[in-house]
Amino acid sequence: DGLFLLYLITRKGRRKKVSIFTTMKVLFFSAFLPFLATSFTAPAAFTNRGSAVSRAFAERQNVKSFDRSAIVRSMAEEPNGTFEPKKVIVLGGDGFCGWPTSLYLSDQGHDVVIVDNLSRRNIDNELGCNSLTPISTPEVRVEAWKEVSGKDIKFVNLDVAKDYDLLVQLIKDEEPDSIVHFAEQRAAPYSMKNSKTKRYTIDNNVSGANNLCCAVIDSDVDAHIVHLGTMGVYGYGTSGGEIPEGYIDVILPGGREANILHPAYPGSVYHATKCLDALLWQFYQKNDALRITDLHQGIVWGTNTPQTIKDDRLVNRFDYDGDYGTVLNRFLMQGAMGVPLTVYGTGGQTRAFIHITDTARCIEIAINNPPAAGERVEIFNQIAETRRVRDVAALVAEQTGVDVNLLPNPRQEAAENELDVSNEKFCNLGLEPITLDEGLFDEVTEVVKKYKSRCDPKKILPASFWNKKRAEECASLEDTKVEIKAE
């Protein structure tokens, strides 16, 4: 193995070196796969993950005094030996989801290249609000990861929406098996802040998605695109029942049955870009046979993962402000600081949630299970559970002892909605998702208390409004003063 090499001709005509041993394994499993199909079970590398988390939480109940960070460390897994390691480019790999995902993929043995233009850090300067956690530069981050893991991650400063020629050349040079696309402006409130941020969100997100498809075609590299989308493409409670994974059965005029892409119902400019992305994926798959997986993700909560907790220089960003702070993280931060929780409207909005650790796991599952050439865009609903916002607030308030404040809603949305979502595909591939747990709440609270001095109370309240009517209804917030409780 390693002495004898074959040259396989890929779909695009590129030659790729593989060992004769690897080729024999492929032929062996090709011959026997039909016999195995009826009794297939998910790989242990996936099925053991959720149970490991559950065991950690169960053990916690028997310990009166414990290290909160140990809960996060307990989620670390043995390297995944089920699938061959891949070369993966992570676009937006310096961000809230991109950074921990990059570390996780590297930890699992994949060869990772991070691409980022640091736009999110520039938006920090624009908003005058930094991450609650002090995040290191990308160069320091990858150096620290090398020190603690012995593994290399390459960092490339590149703008996916603007530096097209550089993107094409990068794909040619690296010849990735997969390209994970996080490189989009990810905050709905920021996308609704003003005409400048609306235009930027459209230009950056849609151009970036289109550039990526064109670059894969022009580079002549058969790379699998994995895109992080959002549950918001479906709207909330507009399907008349359980939201399926991407495609919905319909009856057309004349009684004709069809399975079509779920109708789009965006609630912000940000969500609209994800809907436009989805149409681009459909077109380029149909026209150029690109292999694409679109992940419709719920609201992410949590901060650390088993990888980011290894060194302070690896810490993930934590956004607490009204524009970028996700709802549960905002609640946990406010509770830890003794600030009443900021619930918008009645709090009757039902939303989907997923822990940051599961985000990384789901990305790897998608990478390891690409659609075959010619297959339609694969779509997963990347969520753990759904909860009503006021119920989540009550859970945090009970744990932290703070009050709940109902504020005028800055968003144009229904005051109440139901949300039933299918996440069958990831579960069938072995994911046992992490649900909202007070043990993990404690971990986030510990992070908040550690960096409490970095919080600017003026940034906690909403600062972006969906339209003039919403801005007028929220005008009273201008006189609201947020005070952090002294210890």
Side-chain angles (χ1 to χ4, degrees):
D1 185 19
L3 295 177
F4 302 94
L5 296 174
L6 292 178
Y7 284 95
L8 295 184
I9 306 300
T10 67
R11 180 174 65 85
K12 292 287 189 177
R14 265 192 319 120
R15 295 194 304 175
K16 182 177 180 181
K17 290 182 180 180
V18 297
S19 68
I20 185 70
F21 180 68
T22 299
T23 306
M24 291 175 66
K25 286 193 293 183
V26 172
L27 294 174
F28 175 82
F29 282 109
S30 297
F32 285 92
L33 190 58
F35 301 99
L36 299 174
T38 56
S39 60
F40 175 76
T41 54
F46 293 144
T47 56
N48 290 339
R49 286 175 175 162
S51 58
V53 174
S54 300
R55 286 196 301 272
F57 293 158
E59 292 168 0
R60 168 187 176 273
Q61 304 301 324
N62 299 321
V63 182
K64 294 183 179 180
S65 176
F66 65 97
D67 178 5
R68 312 294 189 192
S69 61
I71 296 175
V72 173
R73 287 196 295 268
S74 71
M75 291 186 281
E77 299 298 325
E78 293 298 320
N80 178 8
T82 306
F83 295 93
E84 293 291 330
K86 292 180 170 61
K87 166 67 76 69
V88 183
I89 294 179
V90 181
L91 306 178
D94 185 54
F96 173 56
C97 293
W99 174 243
T101 297
S102 297
L103 294 189
Y104 178 77
L105 293 175
S106 176
D107 208 24
Q108 295 298 303
H110 301 288
D111 184 2
V112 177
V113 177
I114 286 177
V115 173
D116 206 295
N117 69 341
L118 310 184
S119 60
R120 180 64 190 90
R121 294 176 186 248
N122 293 331
I123 291 174
D124 279 345
N125 296 330
E126 174 191 333
L127 298 178
C129 183
N130 293 317
S131 163
L132 188 69
T133 51
I135 53 175
S136 301
T137 65
E139 292 80 7
V140 171
R141 280 177 151 186
V142 296
E143 182 179 350
W145 178 244
K146 172 69 172 179
E147 291 178 16
V148 302
S149 71
K151 298 175 179 177
D152 289 305
I153 291 180
K154 183 178 178 181
F155 169 68
V156 178
N157 191 325
L158 184 154
D159 189 327
V160 176
K162 295 180 179 179
D163 301 331
Y164 180 73
D165 292 340
L166 296 178
L167 178 62
V168 173
Q169 191 59 51
L170 177 70
I171 296 173
K172 286 182 177 180
D173 293 342
E174 298 295 342
E175 295 188 325
D177 299 291
S178 302
I179 301 175
V180 181
H181 184 27
F182 290 109
E184 298 186 303
Q185 194 291 105
R186 65 173 179 83
Y190 182 81
S191 78
M192 300 299 293
K193 198 172 193 66
N194 52 50
S195 59
K196 178 182 177 182
T197 61
K198 290 174 182 177
R199 298 196 323 273
Y200 167 73
T201 302
I202 291 285
D203 292 345
N204 181 79
N205 293 8
V206 180
S207 293
N210 189 60
N211 279 359
L212 175 57
C213 291
C214 293
V216 170
I217 296 166
D218 286 348
S219 65
D220 202 28
V221 173
D222 182 24
H224 169 214
I225 295 173
V226 178
H227 172 251
L228 191 72
T230 172
M231 283 297 301
V233 300
Y234 300 118
Y236 293 103
T238 61
S239 294
E242 182 183 66
I243 295 179
E245 302 199 66
Y247 302 95
I248 188 169
D249 293 323
V250 298
I251 299 178
L252 301 172
R256 294 170 295 152
E257 296 182 355
N259 183 251
I260 65 170
L261 188 68
H262 192 288
Y265 200 70
S268 72
V269 169
Y270 158 75
H271 292 105
T273 65
K274 297 294 188 176
C275 296
L276 295 170
D277 287 348
L279 293 178
L280 286 173
W281 309 140
Q282 293 291 325
F283 169 74
Y284 281 108
Q285 184 283 320
K286 179 185 70 172
N287 193 69
D288 299 280
L290 294 189
R291 296 181 299 126
I292 302 171
T293 298
D294 202 6
L295 307 175
H296 295 331
Q297 181 169 255
I299 297 171
V300 183
W301 66 283
T303 302
N304 280 318
T305 67
Q307 291 74 40
T308 64
I309 207 169
K310 291 176 182 284
D311 190 291
D312 283 346
R313 294 168 294 174
L314 300 175
V315 69
N316 197 23
R317 70 176 300 122
F318 187 108
D319 297 309
Y320 65 90
D321 61 289
D323 282 334
Y324 275 89
T326 60
V327 61
L328 180 49
N329 275 4
R330 285 193 295 108
F331 287 170
L332 292 171
M333 183 279 300
Q334 291 163 3
M337 295 188 175
V339 175
L341 307 186
T342 54
V343 175
Y344 300 158
T346 66
Q349 310 91 337
T350 304
R351 296 293 182 262
F353 293 90
I354 185 170
H355 191 268
I356 186 66
T357 300
D358 276 347
T359 292
R361 289 173 174 165
C362 288
I363 293 293
E364 192 197 22
I365 292 176
I367 287 172
N368 286 333
N369 295 274
E375 288 186 355
R376 71 179 182 177
V377 176
E378 180 65 272
I379 301 176
F380 292 81
N381 289 339
Q382 189 165 304
I383 73 157
E385 61 183 323
T386 60
R387 294 283 189 104
R388 202 174 293 275
V389 171
R390 61 171 169 257
D391 296 337
V392 174
L395 192 63
V396 176
E398 181 181 359
Q399 184 183 17
T400 60
V402 301
D403 295 328
V404 175
N405 279 358
L406 300 181
L407 304 181
N409 195 343
R411 299 178 179 231
Q412 184 69 35
E413 62 184 3
E416 307 271 334
N417 74 273
E418 302 299 325
L419 188 64
D420 185 15
V421 182
S422 171
N423 64 347
E424 183 178 343
K425 290 182 181 179
F426 272 130
C427 292
N428 286 345
L429 289 170
L431 181 74
E432 294 184 32
I434 301 165
T435 54
L436 273 59
D437 181 275
E438 291 185 11
L440 285 169
F441 285 3
D442 289 339
E443 185 274 323
V444 177
T445 299
E446 191 175 74
V447 170
V448 171
K449 289 181 176 179
K450 181 176 180 179
Y451 299 110
K452 185 176 180 178
S453 62
R454 291 173 55 85
C455 176
D456 182 351
K458 298 190 295 296
K459 303 298 182 181
I460 291 176
L461 295 175
S464 297
F465 310 98
W466 262 233
N467 51 44
K468 292 180 180 179
K469 181 180 179 181
R470 291 298 181 183
E472 291 171 358
E473 292 177 354
C474 295
S476 60
L477 295 177
E478 294 179 3
D479 300 324
T480 303
K481 185 178 180 180
V482 176
E483 295 183 358
I484 296 176
K485 184 179 179 180
E487 294 187 3

